[in-house]
Amino acid sequence: MNLKLKKVYTVSKKGKPERPRLFLQHIVCEAAGFKVQGEIYININEAREEIILQNYPFDDNQNVHTVHVASRKSKMSGKDRPLIDSAGDKYCFLDINQKIEVTVFNKGTKGQIVIRPLEYKLFENSTIPTQKDQRIRLLSVCAGAGVGTMVLSDTGLYTPIQEIELEDDSAEVLLHNFEQSYVFNGDIKDCQSVAKVDMAFVSLPCSEHSSLGYLEGNVMNDLVLATAKIIQSSQAEVIFWENVPSFYKSQAWTSLKSLLAEDYPFWAQKELEAWDFGSLATRRRTYCVSFMSEERFMAFDFPTAPKVRRRKLKDFLDRSTVKHEWKSVQRFMESFTSRSAWKDRSLDLTFVRKEVEKIQCIPKRYTAQSASNSYVLSEDGQSFRFLSIDEIKRIMGIPENFSFPENIQKVRKYEMLGQGVDGRVIKAIANRIAYTFMKVKTAAAKKIERKIQSYTISSNGQLELILS
């Protein structure tokens, strides 16, 4: 069977007296291919502290009982989604309020879920061997909805192998778009098994460093050890970092570099603006690439902004047949002028017409009415509307084959895109990184060829070394 998903849960309780509750949500059941009302066979091995659920009978019926898959109706799609909710003394070896590791396997119509108590070792990780691919094998850490992963995959040079993501609905999007990959859904600090890859793409949470974030402080420091451990376990040859510029001035970044310096002694870093690469929306980010080998480091350079024919907003908008909800500019201005904190804010890029060639960065909180956002202005200037999901995808250079499953709320789609990356810049850097893989591989092949050419066979049949 194929490893599909790993999720870390906290065991809850049910009933009086309280008993451990086995509650497997939609994302787990759907990843396993379990169907609503389908019969599930459960094998409990208390000695190994292991529970196995599968949708086909066990060869040995000892310690096996069955349940039927329950359901809950999705508010978005209106369809029933599968879940399993079971409790009892039979699960007594699972401690209430302790974490369990739920691993999902799937192949064809067969699905299996293995549940064990979480065993986490702070200074150790297990590396999952992966089949060598002709493309660059990719691990995405703090993958979000997978916008960056999809851009890298769309180059045709990278194969997504594993994604690590905390939020459940973002993990659903990952499973939806990367069917052949393996998703870890849970706190990054609980991720114990990491796939062996060639490159890690890392975009750590930036809200405490971003001017558009919450500036909470100290959130990142909790992730430093876990991030370093995951990268080292992946045995990646290259790390590709993306974040807001201020992140690279933080103590968290200094600590990360220190922890990884022995394995990755070569670092290249540059701040780039997406608008310079042909995007309509501004998105200034700092990108860093870390290398194990000096050869790849020496072969790499950041792309320079190309000379592009500047496109206008109208080139990214939906067709006229698409209906949108329009709002009153006057009502917005009444709210705007009533807030003393906004009195010095510029509205130059807030309401934009179809002919503009530049708009503001599209943030996570785009659906909140704010002077920091850009909105499409009507022809008469009296109304405005939000950019649609499809329009934002085109503006950010996100591949067309990136899509959302039907159960994702609309506001979350906006948030996921706002937390994403600009595809044009990521693709340009990704191509330069791929060049280093090719350059080193070619150089290694030529080195072997030179060694072979250093020998000859004499007329008497003896192998002789040619001295240079």
Side-chain angles (χ1 to χ4, degrees), residues 130-168:
T130 55
Q131 186 175 357
K132 190 67 176 177
D133 195 285
Q134 296 301 312
R135 297 178 181 85
I136 301 167
R137 295 170 297 174
L138 177 67
L139 163 70
S140 296
V141 181
C142 296
V147 172
T149 306
M150 180 61 79
V151 172
L152 290 164
S153 176
D154 192 60
T155 65
L157 303 170
Y158 298 83
T159 297
I161 299 295
Q162 182 182 3
E163 294 80 46
I164 299 173
E165 172 54 33
L166 172 64
E167 296 179 326
D168 288 2

Coordinates of all heavy atoms in Angstrom, one line a residue, residues 130-168:
T130 N 12.9 6.8 -0.5 CA 12.0 7.0 -1.6 C 12.7 6.6 -2.9 O 13.9 6.5 -3.0 CB 11.7 8.5 -1.7 OG1 12.9 9.3 -1.8 CG2 10.9 9.0 -0.5
Q131 N 11.8 6.2 -3.8 CA 12.3 5.7 -5.1 C 13.0 6.9 -5.8 O 12.5 8.0 -5.9 CB 11.2 5.2 -6.0 CG 11.6 4.5 -7.3 CD 10.5 3.9 -8.0 OE1 9.4 3.9 -7.5 NE2 10.7 3.4 -9.2
K132 N 14.2 6.6 -6.4 CA 14.9 7.7 -7.1 C 14.1 8.1 -8.3 O 13.8 7.2 -9.1 CB 16.3 7.1 -7.5 CG 17.2 8.2 -8.0 CD 17.6 9.2 -7.0 CE 18.6 10.3 -7.5 NZ 18.9 11.3 -6.5
D133 N 13.8 9.3 -8.4 CA 13.1 9.9 -9.6 C 14.0 10.6 -10.5 O 15.0 11.1 -10.1 CB 12.0 10.8 -9.0 CG 10.9 11.1 -10.1 OD1 11.2 11.9 -11.0 OD2 9.8 10.6 -10.0
Q134 N 13.6 10.6 -11.8 CA 14.4 11.4 -12.8 C 14.4 12.9 -12.5 O 15.2 13.6 -13.0 CB 14.0 11.0 -14.2 CG 14.2 9.6 -14.5 CD 15.6 9.1 -14.5 OE1 16.5 9.8 -15.0 NE2 15.9 8.0 -13.8
R135 N 13.4 13.3 -11.8 CA 13.2 14.7 -11.4 C 13.8 15.0 -10.0 O 14.2 14.0 -9.4 CB 11.8 15.2 -11.5 CG 11.1 15.0 -12.9 CD 9.7 15.4 -12.8 NE 9.0 15.3 -14.1 CZ 8.5 14.2 -14.6 NH1 8.6 13.1 -14.0 NH2 8.0 14.2 -15.8
I136 N 13.8 16.2 -9.6 CA 14.3 16.6 -8.3 C 13.2 16.3 -7.3 O 12.1 16.9 -7.3 CB 14.7 18.1 -8.3 CG1 15.8 18.3 -9.3 CG2 15.2 18.5 -6.9 CD1 16.1 19.8 -9.6
R137 N 13.5 15.4 -6.3 CA 12.5 15.1 -5.3 C 12.4 16.2 -4.3 O 13.4 16.7 -3.8 CB 13.0 13.8 -4.6 CG 13.0 12.6 -5.5 CD 13.6 11.4 -4.8 NE 15.0 11.7 -4.5 CZ 15.8 10.8 -3.8 NH1 15.4 9.7 -3.4 NH2 17.1 11.2 -3.6
L138 N 11.1 16.5 -4.0 CA 10.8 17.8 -3.3 C 10.1 17.5 -2.0 O 9.1 16.8 -1.9 CB 10.0 18.7 -4.1 CG 9.5 20.0 -3.5 CD1 10.7 20.9 -3.3 CD2 8.5 20.7 -4.5
L139 N 10.6 18.1 -0.9 CA 9.9 18.2 0.4 C 9.4 19.6 0.7 O 10.3 20.5 0.5 CB 10.8 17.7 1.5 CG 10.4 18.1 3.0 CD1 9.2 17.3 3.4 CD2 11.6 17.9 3.9
S140 N 8.2 19.8 1.0 CA 7.7 21.2 1.4 C 7.4 21.3 2.8 O 6.5 20.5 3.3 CB 6.4 21.5 0.5 OG 6.7 21.5 -0.8
V141 N 8.1 22.2 3.6 CA 7.9 22.3 5.0 C 7.0 23.6 5.2 O 7.3 24.7 4.7 CB 9.3 22.5 5.7 CG1 9.1 22.6 7.2 CG2 10.1 21.3 5.4
C142 N 6.0 23.4 6.1 CA 5.0 24.5 6.3 C 4.4 24.8 4.9 O 4.5 26.0 4.4 CB 5.6 25.7 6.9 SG 6.1 25.4 8.6
A143 N 3.9 23.8 4.2 CA 3.5 23.9 2.8 C 2.3 24.7 2.6 O 2.0 25.1 1.4 CB 3.3 22.5 2.3
G144 N 1.5 25.1 3.6 CA 0.3 25.8 3.3 C -0.6 25.0 2.4 O -0.8 23.8 2.6
A145 N -1.3 25.6 1.5 CA -2.2 24.9 0.6 C -1.4 24.3 -0.6 O -2.0 23.7 -1.5 CB -3.3 25.8 0.1
G146 N -0.1 24.6 -0.6 CA 0.7 24.0 -1.7 C 0.9 24.8 -2.9 O 1.2 24.3 -4.0
V147 N 0.7 26.1 -2.8 CA 0.9 27.0 -4.0 C 2.3 26.9 -4.5 O 2.6 26.7 -5.7 CB 0.6 28.5 -3.6 CG1 0.9 29.4 -4.8 CG2 -0.9 28.6 -3.3
G148 N 3.3 27.1 -3.6 CA 4.7 27.0 -4.0 C 5.1 25.6 -4.5 O 5.8 25.5 -5.5
T149 N 4.5 24.6 -3.9 CA 4.8 23.2 -4.4 C 4.3 23.0 -5.8 O 4.9 22.4 -6.6 CB 4.1 22.2 -3.4 OG1 4.6 22.5 -2.1 CG2 4.5 20.8 -3.8
M150 N 3.1 23.5 -6.1 CA 2.5 23.4 -7.4 C 3.3 24.1 -8.4 O 3.5 23.6 -9.6 CB 1.1 23.9 -7.4 CG 0.4 23.8 -8.7 SD 0.2 22.1 -9.3 CE -1.2 21.5 -8.4
V151 N 3.8 25.3 -8.1 CA 4.6 26.1 -9.0 C 5.9 25.3 -9.3 O 6.3 25.2 -10.5 CB 5.0 27.5 -8.4 CG1 6.0 28.2 -9.3 CG2 3.7 28.3 -8.3
L152 N 6.6 24.7 -8.3 CA 7.8 23.9 -8.5 C 7.5 22.7 -9.4 O 8.2 22.4 -10.3 CB 8.4 23.5 -7.2 CG 9.0 24.7 -6.4 CD1 9.2 24.3 -4.9 CD2 10.3 25.1 -7.0
S153 N 6.4 22.1 -9.1 CA 6.0 20.9 -9.9 C 5.7 21.2 -11.3 O 6.0 20.5 -12.3 CB 4.8 20.2 -9.2 OG 4.3 19.1 -10.0
D154 N 5.1 22.4 -11.5 CA 4.7 22.9 -12.9 C 5.9 23.1 -13.8 O 5.7 23.1 -15.0 CB 3.8 24.1 -12.8 CG 3.1 24.5 -14.1 OD1 2.3 23.7 -14.5 OD2 3.4 25.6 -14.6
T155 N 7.1 23.3 -13.2 CA 8.2 23.5 -14.1 C 8.6 22.2 -14.8 O 9.3 22.2 -15.8 CB 9.5 23.9 -13.2 OG1 9.8 22.8 -12.3 CG2 9.2 25.1 -12.5
G156 N 8.1 21.0 -14.3 CA 8.4 19.7 -14.9 C 9.7 19.2 -14.4 O 10.2 18.1 -14.9
L157 N 10.4 19.9 -13.5 CA 11.7 19.6 -13.0 C 11.7 18.9 -11.6 O 12.7 18.4 -11.2 CB 12.6 20.8 -13.0 CG 12.8 21.5 -14.3 CD1 13.5 22.8 -14.2 CD2 13.5 20.6 -15.4
Y158 N 10.5 19.1 -10.9 CA 10.5 18.7 -9.5 C 9.3 17.7 -9.3 O 8.2 17.9 -9.9 CB 10.3 19.9 -8.6 CG 11.4 20.8 -8.6 CD1 11.5 21.8 -9.6 CD2 12.4 20.8 -7.7 CE1 12.6 22.7 -9.7 CE2 13.5 21.7 -7.7 CZ 13.6 22.6 -8.7 OH 14.6 23.5 -8.8
T159 N 9.5 16.7 -8.4 CA 8.4 15.8 -8.1 C 8.1 15.9 -6.6 O 9.0 15.7 -5.7 CB 8.9 14.3 -8.3 OG1 9.1 14.1 -9.7 CG2 7.8 13.3 -7.9
P160 N 6.9 16.4 -6.2 CA 6.5 16.5 -4.8 C 6.5 15.1 -4.2 O 5.9 14.2 -4.7 CB 5.1 17.1 -4.9 CG 5.0 17.7 -6.2 CD 5.9 16.9 -7.1
I161 N 7.2 14.9 -3.0 CA 7.3 13.7 -2.3 C 6.6 13.7 -1.0 O 5.9 12.8 -0.6 CB 8.8 13.3 -2.1 CG1 9.5 13.1 -3.4 CG2 8.9 12.0 -1.2 CD1 9.0 12.0 -4.3
Q162 N 6.8 14.8 -0.3 CA 6.2 15.0 1.0 C 5.9 16.5 1.3 O 6.7 17.3 1.0 CB 7.0 14.4 2.2 CG 6.4 14.5 3.6 CD 7.3 14.0 4.7 OE1 8.4 13.6 4.4 NE2 6.8 14.0 5.9
E163 N 4.7 16.7 2.0 CA 4.4 18.0 2.4 C 4.1 18.0 3.9 O 3.4 17.0 4.4 CB 3.1 18.6 1.7 CG 3.4 18.8 0.2 CD 3.3 17.6 -0.6 OE1 2.4 16.8 -0.4 OE2 4.2 17.4 -1.4
I164 N 4.5 19.0 4.7 CA 4.2 19.1 6.1 C 3.4 20.3 6.4 O 3.8 21.4 6.0 CB 5.6 19.1 6.9 CG1 6.4 17.9 6.6 CG2 5.3 19.3 8.4 CD1 7.8 17.9 7.2
E165 N 2.2 20.2 7.0 CA 1.3 21.3 7.1 C 0.4 21.1 8.4 O -0.1 20.0 8.6 CB 0.4 21.5 5.9 CG -0.7 22.5 6.0 CD -0.2 23.9 6.5 OE1 0.9 24.3 6.1 OE2 -1.0 24.6 7.2
L166 N 0.3 22.2 9.2 CA -0.5 22.1 10.4 C -2.0 22.2 10.2 O -2.8 21.4 10.8 CB -0.1 23.3 11.3 CG -0.9 23.5 12.6 CD1 -0.8 22.4 13.5 CD2 -0.5 24.8 13.2
E167 N -2.5 23.0 9.3 CA -3.9 23.3 9.2 C -4.6 22.2 8.4 O -4.2 21.8 7.3 CB -4.2 24.6 8.5 CG -3.7 25.8 9.4 CD -3.9 27.2 8.7 OE1 -3.8 27.2 7.5 OE2 -4.1 28.1 9.4
D168 N -5.8 21.7 9.0 CA -6.5 20.6 8.3 C -7.0 20.9 6.9 O -6.8 20.1 6.0 CB -7.7 20.2 9.2 CG -7.3 19.5 10.5 OD1 -6.1 19.4 10.8 OD2 -8.2 19.1 11.3

